[in-house]
Amino acid sequence: MTNNDAATQDRDARLLFARYSQQSPRWQGLSWDALREDTRRLFRREAAWSLHPQN
C-alpha cells in the first residue's frame, strides 16, 4: 500500500465516521482522534467496502 492509498483510506474512513457521528447519538461528541486504532481500522475497512465496492 502506498502513502496515497493510506491517505485515501484514512480520508474515506473519516468521512464515513463524520456521517455516522451526524446520524447516530451514539457517535455524537466523539472525535476521530478519540477512537482506538482498531475502531479506526474498522471504519477504514467499511469505507473501502461501501465507497469503493468490488464487483
Side-chain angles (χ1 to χ4, degrees), residues 25-40:
R26 179 179 212 175
W27 293 99
Q28 287 177 356
L30 289 177
S31 70
W32 176 258
D33 296 327
L35 299 177
R36 293 183 352 196
E37 183 55 36
D38 58 339
T39 305
R40 290 182 202 170

Side-chain angles (χ1 to χ4, degrees), residues 5-21 27 31-32 35 37-52:
D5 292 340
T8 298
Q9 286 181 347
D10 196 58
R11 184 201 68 222
D12 291 347
R14 287 175 182 257
L15 289 171
L16 184 63
F17 172 73
R19 193 178 314 151
Y20 272 58
S21 64
W27 293 99
S31 70
W32 176 258
L35 299 177
E37 183 55 36
D38 58 339
T39 305
R40 290 182 202 170
R41 197 170 23 251
L42 290 171
F43 271 103
R44 288 182 192 108
R45 194 174 307 150
E46 175 67 21
W49 182 80
S50 64
L51 298 176
H52 308 286

